[in-house]
Amino acid sequence: MRPNLKACGQALITAMVNAVLALTLMLLVEFAITGTFQLAGPYLWAGVLIGLVIFFAQFWRQRHLCRNGQSIQESPDTL
């Protein structure tokens, strides 16, 4: 259970940072094109979608890494 919580925390932080950075980039491009900062609905949906995709990918990756690290620590050294 502990590796899942650790993986979830790390994935959540990574997803939030990446979603905020993607949303900021979209707003900067909008400002460059129109000259105003308008937070449109599609930008919010895109930020949420980016955050969800990154969260699930990072959660799966971190969980895999934590499980592999745990199994290596439990098994004796064969070298």
Side-chain angles (χ1 to χ4, degrees):
M1 182 69 168
R2 179 78 177 136
N4 285 341
L5 290 176
K6 183 178 178 183
C8 185
Q10 290 175 350
L12 185 62
I13 291 170
T14 302
M16 292 292 287
V17 167
N18 284 318
V20 167
L21 289 174
L23 191 58
T24 303
L25 181 62
M26 287 186 277
L27 287 174
L28 286 174
V29 169
E30 173 71 21
F31 181 73
I33 292 171
T34 64
T36 61
F37 285 111
Q38 293 180 359
L39 189 60
Y43 293 151
L44 291 176
W45 283 112
V48 168
L49 182 63
I50 289 168
L52 286 174
V53 168
I54 291 172
F55 172 76
F56 285 117
Q58 284 293 322
F59 177 74
W60 180 78
R61 179 181 171 271
Q62 290 293 338
R63 196 175 110 210
H64 180 72
L65 289 174
C66 288
R67 283 188 177 175
N68 282 347
Q70 189 179 29
S71 65
I72 290 171
Q73 290 173 357
E74 290 175 356
S75 65
D77 254 341
T78 56
L79 295 177

